Amino acid sequence: MDNLRLLLDGFANVASPGNLLVALIGVVAGTAVGVLPGIGPAMTVALLLPVTYGMDPTQAFILFAGIFYGGMYGGSTTSILLNTPGESSSVITSIEGNKMAKAGRAAQALATAAIGSFVAGTIATLALVLVTPVVVRFAVSLGAPDYFAIMLLAFVAVSATLGGSRVRGFASLLAGLVIGTIGIDGVTGQQRLTLGIPQLADGIDVVVVAVGIFAVGEALWVAAHLRRKAVPVVPVGRPWMGAEDWRRSWKPWLRGTALGFPFGALPAGGAEIPTFLSYATEKRLARRPEEFGNGAIEGVAGPEAANNASAAGTLVPMLAIGLPTTAVSAVMLAAFESYGIQPGPLLFERQPTLVWTLIASLFVGNLLLLVLNLPLAPAWARLLRIPRPYLYAGILFFASMGAYAVNAQPFDLILLLLLGLLGFGMRRFGLPVLPLIVGVILGPRAELQGRRSLQLSGGDLSGLLGGPVSYTIYAVILVLLAWPLIKRFVRRG
């Protein structure tokens, strides 16, 4: 009850006109930068960090929280409309969202993303208030073998359930793992697959990979087919979600929330794993799985809910144990330290007003995002009426600008073109794109946790087994891999 009383005090602080204005500025700025590939909320918070030095700490963190949530939603807008993820956590949304947009259901995709973000963000922020101590104890109890098992589950889930065949899914995953290993080995310090090119020593940024595979690959694919057939005019369709859309969305919203918050609270978590798992889960549970890959609304509702729930979950380890799990929380941690505030177990005792006002501002920011973006869904959808040559010329321009902004190196533009050609080839031969992105994002993390497990066990493979959590996950992996045989055996029986 003390937590709820402190939360009500936080709402009283946020309700002042000045703090509400700061929250509004934060969500608008976050949404604006979220739609630009490569310029995400982490970069925006870092750029605004010097500007906030003269601000009251409470207002500064309300601003940062608004940017955080706004950026999460803004990344889904271009994923749905233009097949161009603004953030790595929005990659999964583009698979079904862009197919819906091409079928004239862009407004419905944007609406389910907005409402799902609101539902998940509200529930997850309430969970942040109620179960933070329990989640932190669980997260701290997990070891390297458990994290390694979780990432293996993500690999198998997306590779075995996507695409026309498992072979193509695992081939795409292998390509992503190879790209993810480019750079300097974090353990030995040796360069791997850099071909002697200094710019590859730091690896290839995941934003460059995602923008190249999705945006440039899509633009090349469209350009290759423009002269073969007339350019279809994409209909805007009905502006709002119908009763059937609501019926098919509410369960994925809740399941995505249940997946996103715990993963966000894990020290090695983040938004990528739960969005991948949410998509795989919705495809498994769907009454019409054949719609997946052709614009299933469940494939937008679930991952977007997981994305926003994870955003609230990442604040649990940052506030409670001072451990950032995402780039945004790392920058926010630096902001805490710049004000002489040390996040950790004593933060809730020493700075209760700041902490509970920040948490209350998450509720307010969620509501502001819904009020701002839900009425704008039909207006956003009309962007698809722009003629294709002009639309994709603009996509290539912003994709190049976003990729260049990551490291400010012209070499990234060459990589962008090469990855775009790879994305074009994958579309040509029917390879699913998502396993490649999963391999790039999670491959280095899985390698780190796996090698750490082996180091702790002196090189014994039993070190990868861990405890009950990893045993359970490995059992799920075996079921996923053996499911075709199990299904055939059940049918014969």
Side-chain angles (χ1 to χ4, degrees), residues 249-326:
S249 294
W250 72 270
K251 289 182 180 178
W253 289 337
L254 298 179
R255 284 192 290 261
T257 304
L259 279 172
F261 181 76
F263 272 97
L266 292 175
E272 291 85 3
I273 297 178
T275 53
F276 300 146
L277 293 181
S278 173
Y279 183 83
T281 300
E282 295 309 324
K283 185 175 182 180
R284 282 289 182 192
L285 299 177
R287 292 184 178 180
R288 289 173 279 188
E290 68 278 0
E291 287 191 15
F292 277 75
N294 298 302
I297 195 170
E298 296 93 338
V300 179
E304 273 304 301
N307 185 9
N308 247 48
S310 175
T314 57
L315 296 179
V316 174
M318 188 199 75
L319 294 174
I321 57 180
L323 180 64
T325 60
T326 63

Side-chain angles (χ1 to χ4, degrees), residues 159 162-173 426 429-432 435:
S159 301
L162 298 179
S165 71
R166 294 188 171 209
V167 173
R168 289 178 177 176
F170 282 107
S172 177
L173 174 67
M426 294 179 71
F429 294 104
L431 269 69

